[in-house]
Amino acid sequence: MGRYAAMLAALALVVMTAPLLSTPARAESGYDLWLRYQPVEESYGAANHVTALVTGYRSPTLDAAAWELRRGLTGLLGRAPAQSSAVTADDVLVIGTPKSSAVIAALNLPLTALGDEGYLIRGVTISGHRAMVIAANSDIGVLYGAFALLRQIQMAKPLAGLDIASTPKTKLRVLNHWDNLNGTVERGYAGASIWDWPALPEHVSRRIIDYARANASIGINGTVVNNVNADAAFLGAEYIEKEAALADALRPFGIRLYLSVRWSAPMELGGLKSADPLDPAVKAWWQAKADEIYRAIPDFGGFLVKANSEGQPGPQDYHRTHADGANMIADVLKPHHGVVMWRAFVYANDPRIDRATTAYNEFVPLDGKFRDNVVLQVKNGPLDFQPREPFSPLFGAMPHTSLMMEFQITKEYLGQQTHLAYLGTLYEEALESDTYEHGPGSTVARVIDGSLDHHPISGIAGVANIGNDADWCGSIFNQANWYVFGRMAWDPEISARAVADEWVRQTFNNDPAFVTPVVDMMMKSRQAVVDYMTPLGLALIMAHGHHMGPGPWDTIGPREDWKAPYYHRADAKGIGFDRVASGYVAQYHSPLKEEYAKVSTTPEDLLLWFHHVSWDHRMKSGRTLWQELVARYQKGVDDVAAMQATWAKLADDVDPERYAQVRDFLAVQHREAIWWRDACLAYFEQFSKRPFPDGYKPKYPLGYYEKMPFGASPKP
Ligand code: BDP
């Protein structure tokens, strides 16, 4: 027997004997995400019944809604609902729009305020029968409502008395895939790209449909399929045909396709001599390209542009501004109703300038100069997706420009594949930050939902963590970050805890003895990462390039602002970046700029972000800064140990496969948290020259940590 045959035989044996062993639940790979539709546990479930599904006219989107409801209700309630076109019994579910369903039309429901994506779920009486309706103005609203109803049932909520009206607060709710032509994913930790370009346009895989379902279930309505570091080939005729096939598959689920574009594409694909946005030949090239794309994809969303950033070409190569560039592209998309998402992630290669100030300095003078179909895509913090940063001061500083949020869902700087870090709390912290643009209450959420300055375009982008792995995201808990991204894009004011609770119930079960500790663990998890990686406002001290593990000593980057000491500035006096002197603090509105200007009024969580502070500075705890730094690193490690202990008690409540993955990854996280603590403290101690508090000392000398090969970490 060959090796593979033997492996298969062994696997078959496991599969056959598995039901005989008393495992708590069937093994799950995680492929089903939060759409598992397992029977609702009797004890927590309400006695829900749905006897029949009443539909009207069909459309691909309404068919998707009916399909999902049939599948979901059959799984959850244990019985397939009958299919019907009229209400003839109790407990029927009627779905549709006033156009698609005569039954819905006759009910005269208050649908106007729902707009073109919202839904209404409500109990009604029809011809004397108890019924539930999912109604909307549009087919996609019905699909969103179908998922919302299934969510309620999966969470064991009673259907009786249900009355939910929900409308998304933002318009563009998009994933940004940093996927390359060759199938790799930049900063992807979940396997290869899900887009199978060689097989397109003929074949769209089942995974793509499941991807679309998962996105629709949380309201995501757009996807940028390729990396912001874009390859011009994505705009070539061969690829447009493939993209059109993908767009056709995504359309029933309300998902529009967008492309990242390379600024110099007119030269690379069109043979032009320049990519100057004010050159008529360049504009004509883009116009023809846009027309070509829209012929193939009539509802194409538009372009995402990374220009003059980290070596990418852009309008500044021709001494034009970002507005010149964005507006030229906006004009060619305008007749097709497309938008330009122009990234504000730019920074100068000048070590004398604080990198955190540069996007503001470049973009604020352009406020009011952008066309109305341009939206600036701004990362939540001014540097780069760190475990903690203050919100970018661009939010609140450009009232005449639409701004959308860019979050990173993939955890480039937060432990990548293995570390458990629920990002809901990070997103929430950014969104609820008050910019004071128009006085108190001018939150970042209100900037990006367009309500603060009355912008028609609003949105949130998330750099996807999705790949070809069995569980899509590299780990089960990473799925929660995709989920919370979508839920917060729909409603930037929803609470991180409420979303964690939803996710846990759907992904695992409704047992309070399970849900409560797991939600608590998730809610503390991101702070644990902050503490063992970059406590007290430190940033960008990860290892160079791959950003895996500690690298506060790293000076191998080609430019000053790619070296760790540029950020932490540790010396004999203290540690931290003086951002009062750099001009950064002044970019905030009052009262923030006054608060952040002084050590005494700066929140300790951001202390070293804003100030260079003496090692002996007295912290609120009574410890010196040096002692506090050690305590925070230690707390991060302890919190991971606490997560391990929590999970260890829950083995009986989860299927063995998912249980084991989480257990093993927490062990990795604990080992690496210790690595972070010891490597960073061994490094900083050479500057602080203060003794380590009792009971603590890094196990190895600094040089050992500095030489750690990629993928390895010291034995604790
Ligand atoms: C950084 C990533 C890099 C991206 C860049 C960006 O390390 O891979 O290209 O952001 O957002 O975080 O453009």
Side-chain angles (χ1 to χ4, degrees):
M1 201 164 10
R3 206 149 54 100
Y4 289 107
M7 213 167 77
L8 280 179
L11 252 179
L13 195 73
V14 172
V15 172
M16 276 158 36
T17 51
L20 305 176
L21 309 170
S22 58
T23 46
R26 75 191 169 102
E28 293 190 48
S29 67
Y31 182 85
D32 291 337
L33 296 162
W34 47 88
L35 302 174
R36 292 164 56 251
Y37 304 139
Q38 293 300 299
V40 194
E41 311 86 327
E42 281 296 308
S43 42
Y44 314 115
N48 289 324
H49 302 286
V50 176
T51 52
L53 188 61
V54 179
T55 53
Y57 294 121
R58 297 175 54 181
S59 75
T61 300
L62 291 171
D63 281 355
W67 185 91
E68 197 71 39
L69 285 166
R70 264 195 299 276
R71 176 185 165 128
L73 294 172
T74 307
L76 288 161
L77 306 181
R79 193 150 58 101
Q83 178 71 37
S84 170
S85 55
V87 179
T88 54
D90 274 344
D91 296 323
V92 296
L93 176 60
V94 187
I95 68 167
T97 67
K99 260 202 206 133
S100 76
S101 158
V103 184
I104 300 265
L107 287 170
N108 273 320
L109 295 163
L111 302 183
T112 321
L114 298 176
D116 50 14
E117 291 185 301
Y119 58 83
L120 176 73
I121 303 176
R122 179 179 280 188
V124 293
T125 305
I126 303 172
S127 320
H129 293 295
R130 210 166 42 227
M132 172 75 65
V133 291
I134 301 175
N137 294 312
S138 62
D139 294 356
I140 188 63
V142 176
L143 180 61
Y144 290 150
F147 279 112
L149 183 75
L150 290 169
R151 177 158 62 233
Q152 293 297 316
I153 303 176
Q154 269 207 108
M155 287 165 49
K157 299 270 155 61
L159 295 187
L162 207 61
D163 193 352
I164 305 178
S166 184
T167 308
K169 291 189 186 151
T170 65
K171 280 229 161 63
L172 310 177
R173 306 180 296 278
V174 296
L175 287 176
N176 287 186
H177 289 266
W178 285 358
D179 292 19
N180 300 315
L181 208 61
N182 66 3
T184 57
V185 180
E186 181 158 340
R187 312 305 179 183
Y189 311 101
S193 169
I194 56 170
W195 319 123
D196 190 359
W197 297 116
L200 287 162
E202 291 87 351
H203 179 68
V204 176
S205 67
R206 175 74 226 177
R207 187 179 270 263
I208 299 306
I209 304 303
D210 289 332
Y211 163 85
R213 289 175 50 236
N215 280 326
S217 78
I218 48 178
I220 288 171
N221 67 359
T223 182
V224 185
V225 295
N226 62 318
N227 193 352
V228 286
N229 298 318
D231 192 315
F234 281 102
L235 291 172
E238 307 79 7
Y239 263 82
I240 292 175
E241 201 189 348
K242 293 170 187 289
E243 288 145 10
L246 209 48
D248 289 344
L250 300 176
R251 188 168 297 113
F253 299 90
I255 300 167
R256 283 178 160 205
L257 189 138
Y258 297 73
L259 289 174
S260 294
V261 296
R262 182 162 166 85
W263 187 257
S264 51
M267 300 161 78
E268 285 148 30
L269 289 185
L272 301 192
K273 293 239 154 31
S274 136
D276 179 351
L278 301 192
D279 178 342
V282 171
K283 182 165 186 182
W285 187 88
W286 281 108
Q287 186 68 66
K289 189 46 76 182
D291 296 346
E292 181 188 351
I293 295 174
Y294 278 94
R295 273 194 301 278
I297 311 174
D299 59 350
F300 178 69
F303 293 140
L304 171 63
V305 192
K306 172 176 179 177
N308 294 119
S309 161
E310 300 187 326
Q312 293 296 324
Q316 292 177 340
D317 302 348
Y318 307 93
H319 308 289
R320 312 297 185 198
T321 66
H322 285 288
D324 293 330
N327 290 344
M328 183 271 287
I329 301 269
D331 289 343
V332 308
L333 292 173
K334 181 87 180 171
H336 302 290
H337 311 291
V339 300
V340 182
M341 299 177 288
W342 193 269
R343 293 178 89 226
F345 178 64
V346 299
Y347 53 100
N349 184 11
D350 182 345
R352 290 164 307 173
I353 299 173
D354 173 5
R355 169 173 161 183
T357 62
T358 50
Y360 181 103
N361 291 340
E362 278 203 43
F363 281 97
V364 170
L366 300 176
D367 188 27
K369 301 214 168 100
F370 291 97
R371 300 281 193 270
D372 62 4
N373 58 333
V374 175
V375 52
L376 276 196
Q377 186 169 307
V378 184
K379 288 187 182 181
N380 59 283
L383 283 183
D384 196 4
F385 298 139
Q386 291 304 290
R388 171 168 285 122
E389 292 181 53
F391 72 87
S392 164
L394 272 177
F395 297 112
M398 298 191 67
H400 306 293
T401 307
S402 300
L403 300 185
M404 68 191 284
M405 172 63 80
E406 179 175 320
F407 283 132
Q408 197 178 42
I409 309 172
T410 190
K411 304 198 315 298
E412 174 181 354
Y413 295 99
L414 288 101
Q416 304 187 350
Q417 181 188 345
T418 48
H419 295 206
L420 197 163
Y422 171 55
L423 299 180
T425 49
L426 188 160
Y427 301 161
E428 180 175 60
E429 187 175 298
L431 290 166
E432 68 187 19
S433 295
D434 201 338
T435 69
Y436 293 94
E437 181 185 318
H438 301 303
S442 309
T443 58
V444 171
R446 296 195 54 221
V447 173
I448 58 104
D449 74 13
S451 64
L452 192 64
D453 291 302
H454 314 291
H455 289 298
I457 310 187
S458 56
I460 306 198
V463 179
N465 63 351
I466 297 162
N468 248 334
D469 271 6
D471 63 19
W472 299 86
C473 301
S475 86
I476 299 300
F477 274 88
N478 284 343
Q479 297 176 354
N481 294 329
W482 178 5
Y483 185 85
V484 69
F485 166 75
R487 298 288 288 136
M488 286 197 178
W490 182 277
D491 179 1
E493 286 167 335
I494 199 171
S495 90
R497 177 173 282 277
V499 178
D501 180 83
E502 282 181 4
W503 179 80
V504 170
R505 288 166 180 274
Q506 296 172 90
T507 303
F508 296 107
N509 63 63
N510 286 296
D511 183 348
F514 179 84
V515 175
T516 308
V518 176
V519 170
D520 283 347
M521 172 172 93
M522 289 169 75
M523 290 300 290
K524 290 182 195 147
S525 60
R526 176 265 189 149
Q527 182 62 41
V529 176
V530 170
D531 285 334
Y532 65 72
M533 286 190 187
T534 52
L536 301 172
L538 288 173
L540 281 168
I541 56 171
M542 292 77 190
H544 177 77
H546 53 72
H547 300 154
M548 218 320 248
W553 49 80
D554 251 329
T555 52
I556 53 178
R559 40 194 281 187
E560 281 312 302
D561 59 2
W562 285 0
K563 298 178 182 176
Y566 169 91
Y567 295 99
H568 62 67
R569 311 213 157 191
D571 58 20
K573 284 198 204 125
I575 179 172
F577 199 128
D578 181 353
R579 290 203 158 96
V580 182
S582 81
Y584 173 80
V585 166
Q587 295 182 342
Y588 288 103
H589 292 284
S590 293
L592 294 179
K593 61 174 160 198
E594 290 80 13
E595 253 171 62
Y596 293 152
K598 286 193 268 164
V599 169
S600 60
T601 48
T602 300
E604 287 192 344
D605 276 337
L606 290 170
L607 189 62
L608 306 181
W609 175 280
F610 284 108
H611 301 281
H612 191 264
V613 182
S614 147
W615 295 112
D616 298 320
H617 170 76
R618 227 8 100 185
M619 302 291 287
K620 294 204 174 92
S621 61
R623 300 186 190 104
T624 65
L625 172 62
W626 169 244
Q627 292 163 342
E628 182 75 15
L629 198 66
V630 177
R632 290 287 186 120
Y633 272 109
Q634 183 59 48
K635 180 170 186 310
V637 172
D638 292 345
D639 286 348
V640 178
M643 295 203 279
Q644 286 182 287
T646 300
W647 191 251
K649 287 193 208 116
L650 302 172
D652 293 342
D653 303 320
V654 191
D655 58 283
E657 194 172 342
R658 293 189 301 163
Y659 174 77
Q661 189 212 61
V662 177
R663 178 201 59 206
D664 295 350
F665 283 3
L666 283 170
V668 173
Q669 186 173 7
H670 189 245
R671 167 165 54 80
E672 295 189 347
I674 292 172
W675 173 31
W676 266 96
R677 176 196 68 192
D678 291 355
C680 290
L681 291 174
Y683 173 78
F684 290 131
E685 190 258 350
Q686 2 155 49
F687 301 98
S688 82
K689 300 216 173 7
R690 305 291 190 275
F692 286 114
D694 281 352
Y696 173 74
K697 190 166 170 40
K699 189 164 175 191
Y700 303 98
L702 176 60
Y704 180 70
Y705 298 108
E706 290 181 345
K707 288 203 197 75
M708 202 46 58
F710 174 80
S713 68
K715 256 200 171 347

